[in-house]
Amino acid sequence: MTVTATSVDQSDQLQPRRTSGARGGRLLRLVPAAASALCGVLLYVSFPPRTLWWLALPAFAGFGWVLRGRSWKAALGLGYLFGLGFLLPLLVWTSVEVGPLPWLALVAIEAVFIALVGVGVAAVSRLPAWPVWAAAVWTAGEAARARVPFQGFPWGKVAFGQADGVFLPLAALGGTPVLGFAVVLCGFGLYEAGRLIAERRRSRVVRRAAATAALLSVAVPVVGAVAARALVSDSAEDGTATVALIQGNVPRAGLEFNAQRRAVLDYHARETHKLAADVRAGKAAKPDYVLWPENSSDIDPFAYPDAAAVIDQAAKDIGVPISVGSVVERDGKLLNEQILWDPVKGPTQTYDKRQIQPFGEYLPLRSLVGAINKSWTEMVHQDFSRGAKPGVFDIDGVKVGLATCYEAAFDWAVRDTVTHGAEMISVPSNNATFDRSEMTYQQLAMSRIRAVEHSRTVTVPVTSGVSAVIMPDGRITQKTGMFVPAYLVQKVPLRTSTTPATELGILPEIALVLVAAGGIGWAIASGLRARRAGDA
């Protein structure tokens, strides 16, 4: 009886330990999931308005750690968590006026791309020099996300978080794909180098080929960025132009500003008249042309003579052409249009926005969206139509490229203004809908990347801020505050040479996508061979 009692007592004493051990095992299994989400958050923190660009490196080092050697199912989940950690805070501005549902739906869809990238990274993580293949897989994921669904949503490209970083000159070498690839490669390379160092300490074995590959994964992007600085210049190649940006401000932030269209037009005209008065008083240099933002006249000046009169008076007062952002209806089509308004001739040239924003300027799946929330279909009661031609205004011999607001996120929409002769680029925008969110700063960073990518001055006139002048080396030389009326006047360099990124266009992205496809194909073939060998 004593022996039996003792046995029962020992069993009872061991039971809590087993339970505790099982609980500890479950908690340990949650570590990769938590780490993946936190690495996504770390990548978000590397983005503007913060200047912590370098946090992208530990973010991808950690992402490499959680994915290496995982099964495809585990990698899918871990990649999705990384995507949520990154995109939920990055895109929260999309909920400012329409509530959380569109924001959550957008993030849920976009994170699927990152989940699939996770599967690809896990697959190639068993290959030699795996950081190269893995970084190419990430680039392929960004390429897909920039094209589908609804013609893509490239917001959150890794390159757009690097405007203040040492890798920025790589934008001139191969555009956003090469810049983003370099950052991701360096992050994965850092993890691989750390892993090999830890392995050496444990086993005293040095794998020279793997160590060399890891070292090159870190060193080549850095050395390449230093070498690419030779491509970055802000010297004037075709003289200079004095340009003025008008930020008229809006009566109220949010979607209501659209209901106050005449007030917005009057505000921009008033600020232009103020500039004209300061020019006459010798307080400001006279510009060669004036740039108003997107939606600065949502009243169609071709249909409403009073709106045309307001613009015409402003142009006559300043005495130079004004590029006016307007909403016009022509041949039954609604267009987001830039109009070049000459003080003598009136409207002379137009550019119609080509990359229009889904769920903002047109409504895909209108009947489904209306069934969910009828008010959303009322906000976009008529879809905008797309323009067909690149935007380049010839203003007294100076060619000014135009990429309207959302278009700045798309590589092709900015590049083809330069290939059609633009000596500088303007990105007229309207961010009033998104209040004081980070959206404005994220978009401004895109314009800084574009300046270096194509070696052009980029101006960003915005209805409510932040308006800015950006040099071809990516430096902001002037900027306004948010929700204040202001003007900026500056002499800027005009440039005609093209960077390798401009010349190569989509080719670097295609090459990296092919590298990713080759790596995944190699990984699949290796897995099949290993399985056959095991069966044998």
Side-chain angles (χ1 to χ4, degrees), residues 265 289-304 307-308 311-312 315 320-330 335-343 345-353 391 393-395 402 404 428:
L265 171 58
Y289 43 88
V290 176
L291 304 173
W292 285 12
E294 178 189 34
N295 299 124
S296 47
S297 176
D298 272 356
I299 303 174
D300 184 352
F302 297 112
Y304 295 90
I311 298 168
D312 200 55
V320 298
I322 301 175
S323 178
V324 178
S326 187
V327 173
V328 305
E329 190 166 355
R330 186 179 297 116
L335 301 166
N336 185 333
E337 187 166 87
Q338 288 289 313
I339 307 166
L340 187 64
W341 203 284
D342 186 87
K345 301 175 183 177
T348 58
Q349 301 172 53
T350 61
Y351 165 64
D352 299 323
K353 187 176 182 181
F393 283 168
D394 188 330
I395 309 178
L402 298 164
T404 304

Side-chain angles (χ1 to χ4, degrees), residues 85-111:
F86 173 42
L87 295 173
L88 274 171
L90 186 80
L91 302 179
V92 68
W93 51 267
T94 60
S95 68
V96 168
E97 290 298 327
V98 294
L101 188 57
W103 162 51
L104 295 174
L106 174 63
V107 170
I109 293 169
E110 294 296 309

Side-chain angles (χ1 to χ4, degrees), residues 39-48 50-61 63 82-83 86-87 90-91 110 113-114 117 121 134-146 153-171 174-188 221 408-409 411 441-442 445-450 453 509 512:
C39 286
V41 173
L42 200 62
L43 181 59
Y44 154 70
V45 176
S46 75
F47 271 66
R50 296 156 296 277
T51 57
L52 303 174
W53 57 270
W54 51 271
L55 286 177
L57 303 181
F60 280 102
F63 195 39
F82 183 90
F86 173 42
L87 295 173
L90 186 80
L91 302 179
E110 294 296 309
F113 289 91
I114 299 179
V117 166
V121 170
V137 168
W138 178 273
T139 304
E142 287 191 339
R145 199 157 62 86
F153 187 73
W155 216 279
K157 274 189 169 186
V158 169
F160 295 149
Q162 297 296 308
D164 293 292
V166 299
F167 298 102
L168 177 60
L170 289 170
T176 59
V178 168
L179 174 53
F181 172 79
V183 174
V184 179
L185 174 61
C186 195
F188 284 149
D411 296 345
Y441 302 100
Q442 293 170 10
M446 293 178 193
S447 295
R448 294 179 65 190
I449 300 298
R450 300 307 183 192
E453 183 178 14
E509 186 175 57
L512 290 170

